[in-house]
Amino acid sequence: MSVSEPLHVPRTIALVGLMGVGKTSIGRRLAQRLGLAFVDADSEIEAAAGASIEEIFERHGEAAFRDGERRVIARLLEQPPHVLATGGGAVMDPSTRALLRLRAISIWLRADLELMLSRVARRNNRPLLKNGDRRAVLERLMAERYPVYAEADLTVDSIDGPPEATVERVMAALAAHLATGKETVP
Ligand code: S3P
């Protein structure tokens, strides 16, 4: 059953989760359903730096990228409510985490390792997956990050198949969350 619109969303919806779970493709469609703007944090970082994520990692290293990521997300969280796809490592930063808690409804998009592997295989532009065995890297990141992703307000399984099916699950989780009345306009 599909969720009847409109849903009134008082805060930014921040999608968190590992590379390849579909944060961008789900986020874009979710924004459309909610009548909100969609913003991709990685694209914003690239625009601010005038360089691709790959170039930022190559020229300045991961620490510089994380620094830019923290600043860009802090700026985005000052904007009116929108749907924000964060990069997979963004929530590992404690200050980003604290800001998300304050200003956003966070949704952990979780997918099977096999699904993530098949999705990340489509492109080779993710610095963390360029060297070494992708499966091993993703398994390590799952171990490190899942306890942190699990702090998100909501968890939704991103499933194989048409993205609309996962969007529907997100809409249902969001509708249930909003119906609790815990989300008041800040
Ligand atoms: C990263 C994920 C990437 C991008 C960067 C680092 C990570 O974003 O921010 O390559 O640490 O998991 P996506 O999750 O959108 O691929």
Side-chain angles (χ1 to χ4, degrees):
M1 201 186 72
S2 99
V3 172
S4 58
E5 272 95 308
L7 278 185
H8 173 67
V9 175
R11 291 166 209 268
T12 284
I13 307 286
L15 300 177
V16 308
L18 273 185
M19 298 173 270
V21 295
K23 297 183 296 285
T24 302
S25 71
I26 302 301
R28 224 181 271 290
R29 290 169 171 85
L30 180 66
Q32 209 161 30
R33 286 283 296 271
L34 293 169
L36 294 173
F38 171 72
V39 182
D40 185 80
D42 283 345
S43 306
E44 293 289 315
I45 296 162
E46 292 181 325
S52 70
I53 305 268
E54 269 179 290
E55 288 164 346
I56 302 170
F57 266 73
E58 270 168 32
R59 292 182 197 154
H60 310 287
E62 181 171 353
F65 168 74
R66 296 297 174 199
D67 208 43
E69 182 174 49
R70 182 181 337 101
R71 281 183 280 119
V72 164
I73 292 179
R75 169 172 62 77
L76 294 172
L77 288 174
E78 308 227 312
Q79 305 295 317
H82 56 277
V83 175
L84 174 65
T86 65
V91 296
M92 300 311 286
D93 180 86
S95 70
T96 296
R97 220 146 64 223
L99 270 185
L100 284 171
R101 221 173 281 131
L102 205 64
R103 307 239 166 91
I105 299 173
S106 54
I107 303 181
W108 173 21
L109 278 185
R110 186 176 59 186
D112 279 351
L113 177 59
E114 301 307 325
L115 185 54
M116 291 189 282
L117 278 168
S118 73
R119 293 217 183 113
V120 297
R122 291 178 200 159
R123 284 182 298 151
N124 191 28
N125 61 348
R126 290 180 168 99
L128 299 185
L129 298 177
K130 277 186 171 266
N131 308 305
D133 176 13
R134 290 178 167 183
R135 178 181 295 272
V137 173
L138 283 176
E139 277 175 341
R140 176 176 57 76
L141 293 175
M142 286 166 83
E144 284 172 14
R145 295 179 178 177
Y146 274 20
V148 176
Y149 293 150
E151 290 177 22
D153 295 307
L154 305 170
T155 298
V156 174
D157 284 311
S158 178
I159 50 178
D160 204 1
E164 285 72 20
T166 298
V167 171
E168 209 49 56
R169 287 166 164 245
V170 174
M171 288 292 286
L174 207 53
H177 178 70
L178 294 171
T180 63
K182 280 189 267 178
E183 290 292 337
T184 49
V185 179

